[in-house]
Each structure stands twice: as structure tokens, then as C-alpha cells.
């Protein structure tokens, strides 16, 4: 995901700071698709806005069928809440010892809750996010700044 200075500026971070942080701070790995966050929160801890659900109804009926009465990830056949996001898919391992990698089949139409995650370093630590490096734990303020830059294209601008 490209980091554009305009996006970072909406968070109050100027282009010089973006370059310094991204080029000189070697912390926080790219997402390795471990699926921990999707597995943890895809069991009913997510929500979608009424607008998102309306848009799915109009343009993505295959997603909308998993929404019921404002709730998401509901079994279309039974009306019961699913214990896992129906759009989280595991890719076959490349070797017998390789970990599973997960992808989202509705990535471009995923709910805001998914687009905005992770929001805080503490959340990543709690969720055992594999993007975190040991140095992130020693300077969480710097790690938070880098996370804010990485996620600036996925989050609404700060006011």
C-alpha cells in the first residue's frame, strides 16, 4: 500500500516526517496475512454501518445475504450468527510447514471496522499481531506514529 503524504497530512503528519519515519525507523512488519485479527473479530465482534449494508444490498448481494436486521455475518439459511466471517479464506500452505495465509474475498467492500483495524498499538499487542517487532514494544509512541502513517489511507482524517 503506497503511503501518500496527502493522507498522512490529514493526520497532521508532514511529508518530511513521513519520509523520516518510513525510511529510518525499522519497525513494524507488513501484514503477513496470519488472520489473527479476522479470526478474533469475525465472530460477531464486527459491525457494519447502515449505509454499508444498503450498498451491499444494491451492489453486492452476495455480501448482503449475510446481513440481517443490521447485524453482519448471519447464516442466510438459518438466521443464526456465524462464528467466523464467511469471506475469510485460507490459502493452501506453500510447504508442509508453512503457516496458513488468509485473504478476504470482499477486501474492497469490507466493513469499516475491518478497514480501520488496527487503530492502536495496544490493540495489536493484545491481539498478538505479527506485524509488531520487539522494538515496537520499547517505543510504543513511535510505533503508533508509524501505524498511523501505514493506515492513513484506510482511516478517516482526524479532525
Amino acid at each position: 500500500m503506497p503511503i501518500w503524504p496527502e493522507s498522512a497530512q490529514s493526520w497532521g503528519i508532514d511529508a518530511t516526517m513521513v519520509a523520516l519515519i518510513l525510511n529510518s525507523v525499522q519497525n513494524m512488519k507488513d501484514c503477513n496475512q496470519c488472520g489473527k485479527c479476522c479470526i478474533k473479530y469475525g465472530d460477531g465482534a464486527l459491525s457494519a454501518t447502515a449505509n454499508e449494508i444498503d450498498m451491499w444490498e444494491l451492489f453486492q448481494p452476495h455480501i448482503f445475504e449475510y446481513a440481517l436486521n443490521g447485524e453482519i455475518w448471519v447464516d442466510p439459511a438459518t438466521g443464526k450468527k456465524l462464528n467466523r466471517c464467511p469471506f475469510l479464506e485460507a490459502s493452501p500452505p506453500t510447504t508442509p510447514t508453512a503457516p496458513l495465509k488468509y485473504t478476504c474475498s470482499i477486501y474492497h467492500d469490507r466493513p469499516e471496522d475491518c478497514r480501520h483495524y488496527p487503530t492502536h498499538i495496544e490493540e495489536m499487542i493484545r491481539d498478538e499481531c505479527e506485524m509488531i517487532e520487539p522494538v515496537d514494544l520499547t517505543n510504543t509512541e513511535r510505533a503508533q506514529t508509524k501505524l498511523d502513517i501505514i493506515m492513513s489511507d484506510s482511516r478517516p482524517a482526524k479532525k
Side-chain angles (χ1 to χ4, degrees):
M1 159 177 47
I3 305 298
W4 301 108
E6 309 82 64
S7 299
Q9 285 173 350
S10 71
W11 280 78
I13 303 168
D14 69 19
T16 304
M17 183 62 80
V18 170
L20 282 171
I21 292 169
L22 292 178
N23 294 325
S24 67
V25 179
Q26 297 302 314
N27 62 342
M28 203 166 306
K29 298 181 268 190
D30 289 334
C31 176
N32 66 2
Q33 300 175 294
C34 71
K36 287 180 181 178
C37 53
C38 298
I39 291 167
K40 178 174 183 171
Y41 295 108
D43 68 347
L46 295 174
S47 62
T49 65
N51 187 49
E52 287 173 312
I53 293 171
D54 290 345
M55 295 300 281
W56 292 336
E57 183 177 19
L58 292 171
F59 301 108
Q60 301 292 345
H62 70 286
I63 302 172
F64 176 73
E65 71 178 326
Y66 288 91
L68 180 67
N69 299 324
E71 297 287 322
I72 59 171
W73 311 163
V74 176
D75 186 317
T78 66
K80 293 185 179 183
K81 196 83 163 152
L82 296 171
N83 61 7
R84 187 165 169 179
C85 172
F87 303 103
L88 180 63
E89 300 175 347
S91 301
T94 53
T95 67
T97 58
L100 288 176
K101 291 201 179 279
Y102 291 87
T103 58
C104 174
S105 65
I106 62 165
Y107 185 80
H108 295 290
D109 296 301
R110 69 197 188 279
E112 271 187 23
D113 278 1
C114 300
R115 283 195 304 271
H116 297 171
Y117 183 88
T119 54
H120 301 287
I121 293 300
E122 294 80 16
E123 182 178 55
M124 296 172 75
I125 294 167
R126 179 194 65 221
D127 297 343
E128 299 177 5
C129 178
E130 294 182 15
M131 289 172 59
I132 299 241
E133 293 281 3
V135 69
D136 297 321
L137 303 175
T138 62
N139 191 338
T140 56
E141 187 175 315
R142 181 177 64 188
Q144 183 67 50
T145 300
K146 178 137 187 211
L147 175 64
D148 291 341
I149 292 169
I150 290 170
M151 297 299 293
S152 64
D153 288 341
S154 298
R155 297 184 190 152
K158 284 186 177 179
K159 294 180 181 184

